[in-house]
């Protein structure tokens, strides 16, 4: 049980639970940051190009994103783990790919009102290429909302990874994550509620 040398108690092997919690946070936060970064980079590029180009390209991207986002993320991550096996890389890539449509939609929504503003039109009239307009004019203006959503998405990714690990579908057993700790604690919640 909890006490002075072990503030959160120990597990059945005598390992300090505070140490396991801190160790689990390392992997969970790594997965959350890496998967969110994948979704942010790829989704931001797709969303910014779609919002800037508009027209048929934008409509086809939006339809593709809607179809991709309609599939339940937890189910897709479970299937990916069953197909490619449990690994840290599989978990990060799967959760990163699943977050792409959300980032693309946020970026597109931020880009649409800016794409016809005077400073963008002036850059195009001065002969700037489309890529330069997007990087120099649009990207600085959409960075704040997209990055702030990235922080929210990291928390969502951590929760999904925790659920996968809770059901034994996340990272391999050699890694400690918050989901694995919750699963281990659930087995002993009646005999050791701490």
């Amino acid at each position: 049980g909890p006490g002075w040398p072990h503030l959160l108690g120990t597990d059945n092997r005598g390992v300090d639970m505070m140490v396991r919690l801190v160790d689990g946070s390392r992997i969970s936060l790594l997965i959350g940051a890496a998967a969110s970064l994948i979704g942010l980079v790829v989704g931001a590029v797709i969303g910014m190009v779609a919002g800037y180009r508009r027209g048929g390209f934008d409509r086809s991207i939006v339809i593709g994103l809607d179809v991709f986002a309609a599939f339940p993320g937890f189910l897709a991550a479970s299937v990916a783990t069953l197909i490619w096996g449990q690994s840290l890389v599989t978990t990060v890539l799967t959760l990163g790919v699943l977050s792409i449509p959300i980032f693309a939609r946020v970026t597109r929504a931020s880009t649409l009102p800016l794409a016809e503003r005077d400073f963008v039109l002036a850059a195009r009239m001065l002969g700037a290429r489309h890529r330069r307009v997007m990087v120099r004019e649009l990207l600085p203006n959409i960075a704040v909302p997209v990055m702030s959503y990235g922080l929210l998405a990291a928390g969502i990714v951590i929760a999904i990874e925790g659920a996968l690990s809770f059901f034994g579908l996340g990272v391999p057993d050699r890694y400690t994550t918050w989901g694995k700790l919750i699963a281990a604690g659930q087995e002993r919640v009646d005999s050791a509620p701490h």
Side-chain angles (χ1 to χ4, degrees):
W4 173 243
H6 308 288
L7 297 177
L8 296 179
T10 61
D11 62 6
N12 58 349
R13 296 174 297 162
V15 178
D16 191 336
M17 288 303 294
M18 179 77 87
V19 171
R20 291 195 69 200
L21 184 67
V22 171
D23 185 46
S25 67
R26 181 177 53 97
I27 299 297
S28 294
L29 293 174
L30 172 75
I31 291 171
S36 296
L37 186 64
I38 290 169
L40 184 134
V41 170
V42 177
V45 169
I46 292 170
M48 187 168 25
V49 171
Y52 178 73
R53 299 292 298 231
R54 299 181 181 227
F57 180 77
D58 181 37
R59 283 191 295 277
S60 62
I61 290 293
V62 168
I63 290 169
L65 291 173
D66 287 344
V67 168
F68 191 71
F71 199 71
F74 184 77
L75 182 61
S78 301
V79 170
T81 301
L82 293 173
I83 292 173
W84 291 298
Q86 287 182 312
S87 76
L88 194 59
V89 174
T90 300
T91 304
V92 168
L93 288 177
T94 302
L95 296 176
V97 167
L98 290 172
S99 65
I100 289 172
I102 300 161
F103 279 107
R105 285 185 136 311
V106 168
T107 306
R108 179 184 168 273
S110 298
T111 303
L112 280 173
L114 297 174
E116 296 298 323
R117 297 278 301 268
D118 291 341
F119 64 93
V120 174
L121 295 174
R124 283 198 298 207
M125 288 177 61
L126 289 172
R129 296 177 186 242
H130 294 300
R131 187 180 339 163
R132 182 176 173 88
V133 171
M134 285 188 279
V135 171
R136 296 284 302 256
E137 306 297 335
L138 292 176
L139 187 60
N141 289 297
I142 65 169
V144 171
V146 174
M147 297 284 280
S148 62
Y149 185 76
L151 295 174
L152 293 172
I156 294 168
V157 167
I158 289 171
I160 293 172
E161 182 277 324
L164 287 171
S165 293
F166 180 80
F167 291 114
L169 297 172
V171 296
D173 289 335
R174 68 179 179 267
Y175 297 109
T176 301
T177 64
W178 287 339
K180 289 183 187 285
L181 290 174
I182 292 170
Q186 186 233 3
E187 297 171 1
R188 295 176 187 82
V189 73
D190 292 333
S191 61
H194 58 278

